[in-house]
DNA sequence: CATCCACAGGAATGAACGGTTT
DNA sequence: AAACCGTTCATTCCTGTGGATG
């Protein structure tokens, strides 16, 4: 609707000039990745052979969330594909978020689907309905048909509930499943201990190279935010805003994603307050909003009972502050009463134990094992890692 | 030193569901 | 239309665990 001149809507955003720069999905272009130069060149040497159509080294990357692991992996892979193309080698890479595709079948499906082009190959990769081995067979066919080299990035590899896919991928060449195509795996994990529970055979082949990404320090975070500051209009950012946000984020976690979230929220708060500039004080409010948003995202899609369990724990933490956790039976009692209140049948104790374990895996709660006392054997205590107030608020929203 | 209790967690099972294939 | 296939959510049964108690 062009050129209408009423003042009902603001047509010029007073704060943001280019907000996409602050979206999590936004991939910074060349020269916009800050403070990861060493990591990038290390990665590049590891996968370098692919340019000549040889097998790239398999790589495992460790590092906490928001340290630029997937960013660098994607960046290097893209550059590799481009460079290989200049050398006349057809290469591609596939990115799998194992937090979403937790099972072997789903992961293979995503890989096959993302490297496929059914117009060229004539191979169809349906979303579901096929057996795992069928997906593999189609994947190998596609790869042999189309590519000389393929890189497979497995992000959050520790969320995978099986090692099977790693086995298959690492042995694909040897077992003669693929003949014309070389395959490299880049695994990304934020749990250092992940390697310990890996199958021995997989470990030796997958961990040819290992890199650890350290958290960003305050200076790097500031550079990262500076690099994206043209998301805002000129002069809108107070000079102290970014340093404040960087200091806050560095002290707490060194997570670049969270830091950028905070910056974006600060801008949105300025917007809704009608403030002409993004003031330093908005940063603190933004941090709180970032927290609740992150938590809401974390439990999105979880079943009602999974929430009740969490709610039970939140209630316990609120009424008994400064306790180092609550044992399963206590949580279960409260959970049962919440169920009665909600008018739904409660699940078995066994099931609730599993639900608690799932939350522990997502770092929403922390579990600790204890033993002692007469007739107590071993038991587990659960403690909320999030702010109980936030948890209760989000869970009782609707 | 065997017993006991309250809890942990593995294994087997199955129903419901949404999809493909032939 | 019937046969398959994988996933998720849940239950039931069963075997460990470990320190105080008699």
């Amino acid at each position: 609707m062009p050129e209408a001149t009423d003042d009902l809507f603001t047509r010029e955003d007073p704060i943001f000039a280019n907000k996409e720069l602050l979206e999590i999905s936004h991939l910074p272009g060349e020269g916009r990745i800050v403070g990861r130069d060493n990591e990038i060149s290390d990665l590049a040497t590891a996968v370098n052979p692919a340019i000549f159509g040889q097998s790239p080294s398999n790589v495992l990357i460790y590092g906490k969330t928001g340290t630029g692991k997937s960013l660098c992996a994607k960046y290097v892979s893209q550059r590799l594909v481009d460079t290989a193309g200049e050398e006349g080698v057809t290469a591609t890479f596939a990115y799998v978020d194992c937090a979403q595709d937790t099972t072997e079948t789903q992961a293979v499906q995503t890989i096959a689907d993302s490297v496929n082009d059914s117009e060229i190959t004539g191979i169809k990769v349906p979303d579901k309905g096929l057996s795992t081995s069928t997906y593999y067979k189609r994947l190998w066919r596609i790869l042999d048909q189309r590519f000389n080299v393929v890189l497979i990035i497995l992000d959050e590899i520790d969320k995978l509930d099986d090692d099977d896919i790693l086995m298959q991928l690492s042995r694909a060449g040897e077992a003669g499943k693929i003949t014309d195509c070389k395959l490299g795996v880049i695994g990304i994990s934020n749990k250092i201990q992940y390697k310990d529970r890996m199958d021995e055979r997989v470990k030796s082949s997958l961990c040819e190279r290992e890199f650890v990404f350290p958290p960003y320090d305050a200076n790097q975070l500031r550079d990262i935010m500076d690099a994206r500051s043209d998301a805002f209009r000129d002069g809108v950012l107070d000079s102290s805003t970014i340093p404040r946000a960087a200091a806050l984020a560095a002290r707490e976690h060194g997570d670049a994603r969270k830091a950028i979230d905070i910056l974006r929220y600060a801008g949105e708060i300025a917007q809704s307050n009608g403030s002409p500039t993004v003031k330093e004080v908005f940063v603190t409010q933004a941090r709180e909003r970032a927290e609740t948003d992150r938590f809401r995202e974390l439990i999105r899609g979880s079943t009602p009972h999974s929430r009740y369990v969490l709610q039970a724990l939140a209630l316990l933490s609120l009424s008994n502050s400064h306790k180092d956790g609550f044992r399963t039976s206590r949580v279960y009692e409260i959970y049962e009463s919440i169920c009665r209140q909600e008018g739904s049948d409660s699940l078995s104790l066994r099931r609730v134990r599993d639900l608690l374990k799932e939350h522990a895996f997502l770092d929403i709660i922390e579990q600790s094992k204890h033993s002692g006392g007469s007739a107590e054997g071993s038991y587990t205590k659960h403690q909320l890692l999030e702010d109980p107030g936030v948890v209760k608020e989000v869970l009782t929203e609707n």
Side-chain angles (χ1 to χ4, degrees):
Chain A
M1 274 154 272
E3 307 309 320
T5 45
D6 57 66
D7 290 341
L8 181 56
F9 299 107
T10 322
R11 54 187 57 243
E12 285 265 300
D13 192 322
I15 300 286
F16 294 109
N18 191 3
K19 201 174 171 185
E20 298 84 68
L21 291 179
L22 297 178
E23 302 294 334
I24 352 121
S25 54
H26 179 257
L27 251 179
E30 190 164 357
R32 270 184 178 269
I33 299 182
V34 175
R36 294 284 104 133
D37 298 342
N38 295 338
E39 284 79 3
I40 287 179
S41 67
D42 285 348
L43 263 178
T45 41
V47 296
N48 200 54
I51 291 175
F52 319 112
Q54 295 163 6
S55 287
S57 298
N58 293 324
V59 180
L60 201 54
I61 304 176
Y62 295 112
K64 295 193 173 174
T65 45
T67 49
K69 302 182 298 294
S70 16
L71 187 61
C72 293
K74 281 182 190 168
Y75 172 75
V76 170
S77 304
Q78 186 56 56
R79 286 288 301 277
L80 180 90
V81 169
D82 295 345
T83 320
E86 289 164 17
E87 295 291 321
V89 173
T90 54
T92 191
F93 74 94
Y95 174 84
V96 184
D97 181 3
C98 302
Q100 276 177 269
D101 304 316
T102 52
T103 64
E104 187 189 4
T105 318
Q106 285 169 345
V108 185
Q109 192 276 330
T110 333
I111 298 172
D113 190 42
S114 77
V115 298
N116 191 27
D117 185 337
S118 56
E119 302 215 342
I120 299 176
T121 57
I123 300 173
K124 277 197 287 185
V125 183
D127 285 351
K128 36 161 78 171
L130 300 189
S131 69
T132 310
S133 56
T134 313
Y135 279 120
Y136 275 119
K137 278 177 204 150
R138 295 191 184 191
L139 174 62
W140 305 144
R141 285 228 312 276
I142 293 167
L143 290 181
D144 263 346
Q145 219 176 99
R146 292 190 68 195
F147 299 104
N148 304 123
V149 179
V150 61
L151 275 180
I152 295 175
I153 304 176
L154 295 171
D155 203 349
E156 307 214 48
I157 199 172
D158 46 323
K159 296 275 190 324
L160 232 42
D161 46 32
D162 254 9
D163 275 359
D164 295 357
I165 187 168
L166 304 177
M167 283 286 284
Q168 297 291 336
L169 291 179
S170 64
R171 296 194 322 172
E174 305 152 30
K177 307 277 186 177
I178 45 177
T179 47
D180 302 331
C181 181
K182 305 292 182 200
L183 191 151
V185 178
I186 301 180
I188 301 177
S189 160
N190 44 34
K191 300 216 163 79
I192 313 281
Q193 312 90 317
Y194 174 68
K195 199 180 163 190
D196 302 338
R197 28 170 272 247
M198 248 196 309
D199 186 288
E200 207 58 43
R201 285 169 297 178
V202 177
K203 200 191 285 184
S204 61
S205 84
L206 187 70
C207 309
E208 293 171 336
R209 304 282 184 88
E210 288 177 47
F211 304 118
V212 177
F213 282 36
Y216 292 108
D217 63 28
N219 287 332
Q220 290 170 326
L221 286 170
R222 206 180 57 222
D223 289 345
I224 290 170
M225 288 193 246
D226 278 338
R228 302 202 183 195
S229 61
D230 36 4
F232 294 91
R233 297 200 167 277
D234 277 350
V236 162
L237 278 176
D238 274 9
S239 60
S240 55
T241 303
I242 284 185
R244 178 90 185 92
L248 203 68
R251 179 159 46 86
E252 286 193 352
H253 37 64
D255 182 338
R257 196 173 352 174
K258 281 192 192 174
I260 288 172
D261 276 347
I262 289 176
L263 196 59
R264 190 180 68 245
Y265 283 133
E268 285 172 5
I269 290 172
Q271 211 167 32
S272 62
N273 285 3
S275 164
T277 60
V278 183
K279 297 202 182 69
E280 194 183 332
V281 285
F282 295 154
V283 171
T284 335
Q285 299 173 39
R287 192 187 67 97
E288 280 168 33
R289 240 189 87 183
E291 281 303 303
T292 53
D293 257 41
R294 200 183 57 82
F295 178 68
R296 200 176 287 124
E297 180 60 27
L298 214 53
I299 60 155
R300 194 172 55 102
S302 52
T303 59
H305 286 278
S306 177
R307 289 160 186 247
Y308 298 159
V309 170
L310 222 49
Q311 201 177 330
L313 196 53
L315 250 47
L316 276 170
S317 320
L318 283 173
S319 52
N320 318 292
S321 50
H322 308 309
K323 271 238 191 144
D324 57 343
F326 306 91
R327 39 198 302 175
T328 315
S329 47
R330 280 291 280 143
V331 179
Y332 190 65
E333 283 170 23
I334 308 294
Y335 158 77
E336 280 184 306
S337 77
I338 291 179
C339 282
R340 272 195 297 278
Q341 210 174 300
E342 298 283 334
S344 74
D345 293 338
S346 47
L347 301 178
S348 64
L349 174 62
R350 183 67 188 82
R351 180 67 184 137
V352 170
R353 267 202 278 267
D354 279 345
L355 291 177
L356 283 164
K357 198 176 176 182
E358 281 172 27
H359 286 139
F361 194 71
L362 291 175
D363 287 328
I364 298 175
I365 68 177
E366 189 177 50
Q367 294 181 324
S368 53
K369 301 202 171 150
H370 302 262
S371 60
S374 172
E376 293 209 77
S378 59
Y379 59 93
T380 311
K381 279 187 165 191
H382 314 270
Q383 193 176 23
L384 222 39
L385 289 174
E386 310 285 330
D387 176 21
V390 170
V391 174
K392 195 190 163 200
E393 190 190 316
V394 172
L395 287 175
T396 49
E397 264 168 3
N398 40 42

